[in-house]
Amino acid sequence: MIKVVWLCHFTNSKVQQRIKVRNPISAFAPWITLSIEEIKKRIDIELHVISPHRWISGIHSFSEGNVNYYFFNPGIPLYGRHWPGIFRFDYWTNFYFNRKKIRKIIQKINPDLINLHGVENPYYSYAILDYKDKYPILITIQGLKSLNVFNLDNWVIKKDIDVEQRLLKEFDEFGIRVKFLREYIQGINNQAKFYYFKYPFGSEINLIEQMNSTYDCVFFARISKDKGIEDLIEAIKILKIEVPNIKLKIVGDGDSEYIELLKNRIILYQLKENIDILGFFENHSDVYKIVAQAKISVLPTYNDILPGTIIESLRLGIPVVAYAANGVVDFNVNREVVKLVELGNIKMLAEEILIFLKNPELRNVFSKLGKLEVNENFNNGIEIAKLIDAYHD
């Protein structure tokens, strides 16, 4: 049995109940939760998951079968809130307190190897530098802030990118999902070695089938500028001229001030009857039931690897229109299953949406191809087996 540490960041309602957080927060990084559930089915892995968590003090731990959890407060001591923007003590000290807590946990575990999930979050990823010559290290890429096209003048983002680039240069074993990542990392580190495996997607989706279409478009992802939500609203504004009753439903979490800004823009564009912002749903099944009623799924993200939004849409038989961003193009390696649009081309985005809306036969073709692609190339158990093979290597 291999003893593995996962250094990552995630949460869900079940975790928050176990560690008794003072202020509940929305679940995020569902791919980590889903991966853990797959690991629980194995008898050859002893997994130790170390993750920061807001609104706790000290270190909270519990175990479930072969999985052991350790959550630490990454923010203000004893309080559990993140450091305020005007006093980023964590960044000024290279995350000293976080590294100290992680070190205490890892010393107790003494693992066979460490798997870091994500180089883009230095509040925990920086700690991996302390173990460069002590343990075998596998770094699984979640996303890359160095590919961002927005907010690059923010000093915190710049610091995040500096740490991210350092990790890509100083470590050599990477878990990736798309060809683009191989090319990008090799441009930074020609000694890099790669293991291919995908993160799991929600198993609840297998219980839900495509329903009768009750509205036109769905967007389900984090509500943020880099996910292209503003571009999609602009596209709906264009489309309303030809399709006055066009309907878009937006599902996801995001900064409250930013969402309020979007709501005001929707009113300004006279799209209040066309766009519904439904917010965040803790239960994946509730999200899938909404998605399954759409004619098409739209994700004009500017920076992404292999979005779960697209995988889940294809599994449900919902045709997808997306920007041709980074790893998104890999969905079409075997066959065209995603209609790709030039990055930032809102007019073309609107045109491709309109083509799907006007052509139910085309939607049916893409629906069948999407389901076929997911059935052939996306299997949670197989992907976790690939991860375990990487550990053995």
Side-chain angles (χ1 to χ4, degrees):
M1 180 177 285
I2 302 177
K3 188 188 297 185
V4 182
V5 160
W6 280 9
L7 193 54
C8 58
H9 194 191
F10 80 108
T11 191
N12 55 55
S13 58
K14 183 178 178 181
V15 159
Q16 294 181 52
Q17 289 171 5
R18 291 295 298 267
I19 63 177
K20 295 180 173 56
V21 298
R22 291 194 295 277
N23 296 312
I25 60 176
S26 298
F28 60 87
W31 55 89
I32 297 294
T33 296
L34 295 167
S35 297
I36 291 171
E37 291 304 311
E38 291 296 323
I39 292 290
K40 287 179 181 178
K41 302 174 185 177
R42 313 272 312 199
I43 61 172
D44 53 348
I45 295 293
E46 179 185 315
L47 180 61
H48 298 262
V49 183
I50 303 175
S51 174
H53 205 295
R54 293 174 62 186
W55 302 117
I56 62 173
S57 58
I59 296 173
H60 294 239
S61 62
F62 64 93
S63 298
E64 292 178 335
N66 61 329
V67 180
N68 307 277
Y69 300 85
Y70 310 82
F71 294 92
F72 65 91
N73 165 25
I76 300 172
L78 303 178
Y79 183 36
R81 186 184 185 278
H82 60 74
W83 295 95
I86 59 173
F87 185 72
R88 292 313 300 261
F89 182 81
D90 49 349
Y91 278 82
W92 299 339
T93 62
N94 288 328
F95 314 98
Y96 170 79
F97 286 135
N98 293 357
R99 291 161 61 195
K100 184 177 179 181
K101 293 166 189 171
I102 291 169
R103 186 181 306 116
K104 180 180 179 181
I105 298 169
I106 290 180
Q107 284 177 344
K108 181 180 178 181
I109 298 168
N110 189 26
D112 295 311
L113 63 89
I114 301 175
N115 186 176
L116 169 66
H117 293 265
V119 293
E120 73 277 20
N121 301 316
Y123 49 89
Y124 68 89
S125 67
Y126 197 103
I128 203 68
L129 290 163
D130 296 333
Y131 305 100
K132 184 178 178 182
D133 300 316
K134 297 179 182 178
Y135 298 103
I137 305 292
L138 175 67
I139 296 181
T140 304
I141 304 299
Q142 295 183 149
L144 295 170
K145 283 188 179 174
S146 51
L147 300 175
N148 282 1
V149 295
F150 304 112
N151 300 320
L152 293 179
D153 57 344
N154 182 293
W155 76 268
V156 171
I157 297 288
K158 288 180 179 178
K159 174 72 171 180
D160 292 350
I161 292 173
D162 287 344
V163 175
E164 173 183 292
Q165 295 291 292
R166 181 179 175 184
L167 297 183
L168 295 179
K169 289 176 183 177
E170 295 191 20
F171 292 87
D172 296 331
E173 315 282 338
F174 298 95
I176 61 174
R177 309 188 291 291
V178 293
K179 178 182 177 182
F180 163 80
L181 285 176
R182 183 187 187 98
E183 296 170 348
Y184 181 83
I185 295 172
Q186 281 182 328
I188 298 169
N189 177 357
N190 59 17
Q191 300 298 313
K193 181 177 180 180
F194 301 96
Y195 300 91
Y196 283 85
F197 49 85
K198 307 180 188 82
Y199 278 120
F201 63 94
S203 58
E204 304 102 314
I205 203 168
N206 295 322
L207 304 176
I208 297 172
E209 293 298 331
Q210 185 178 14
M211 302 177 186
N212 292 329
S213 300
T214 60
Y215 64 98
D216 300 300
C217 307
V218 66
F219 171 100
F220 65 111
R222 179 163 178 79
I223 302 174
S224 61
K225 187 177 180 68
D226 63 299
K227 291 295 184 184
I229 186 61
E230 294 183 34
D231 290 17
L232 180 52
I233 291 172
E234 294 290 336
I236 296 298
K237 178 185 176 185
I238 295 171
L239 288 165
K240 186 176 180 179
I241 297 172
E242 189 158 348
V243 189
N245 295 322
I246 190 169
K247 196 73 171 179
L248 164 68
K249 294 194 177 185
I250 299 171
V251 180
D253 199 9
D255 178 78
S256 58
E257 291 185 7
Y258 182 71
I259 292 175
E260 195 61 33
L261 180 149
L262 294 180
K263 289 179 178 178
N264 291 334
R265 186 174 302 180
I266 288 168
I267 294 171
L268 178 66
Y269 289 172
Q270 298 182 340
L271 296 174
K272 193 173 181 181
E273 300 302 317
N274 304 95
I275 300 176
D276 293 332
I277 299 180
L278 303 181
F280 177 79
F281 291 80
E282 181 76 35
N283 191 319
H284 283 100
S285 294
D286 294 334
V287 176
Y288 299 148
K289 288 174 184 176
I290 294 171
V291 175
Q293 299 175 62
K295 292 178 182 176
I296 61 172
S297 175
V298 188
L299 184 69
T301 178
Y302 278 82
N303 171 22
D304 227 318
I305 306 302
L306 209 64
T309 289
I310 295 180
I311 298 171
E312 292 161 352
S313 296
L314 297 178
R315 168 60 186 83
L316 287 168
I318 310 300
V320 178
V321 178
Y323 279 159
N326 306 331
V328 175
V329 299
D330 275 39
F331 279 104
N332 288 350
V333 167
N334 302 308
R335 55 182 70 88
E336 186 184 22
V337 297
V338 175
K339 185 58 68 175
L340 297 177
V341 173
E342 178 187 8
L343 209 66
N345 192 332
I346 297 173
K347 181 181 177 183
M348 185 178 177
L349 179 67
E351 289 171 351
E352 294 296 346
I353 292 172
L354 185 60
I355 290 171
F356 269 128
L357 293 182
K358 283 189 168 184
N359 195 333
E361 290 183 1
L362 181 65
R363 294 202 304 271
N364 187 49
V365 169
F366 271 78
S367 175
K368 291 178 179 178
L369 290 174
K371 286 184 176 181
L372 180 63
E373 178 66 22
V374 173
N375 289 338
E376 288 184 353
N377 297 297
F378 293 83
N379 181 289
N380 291 352
I382 290 174
E383 299 305 326
I384 290 299
K386 292 178 184 177
L387 172 62
I388 304 306
D389 287 343
Y391 292 162
H392 283 286
D393 188 70

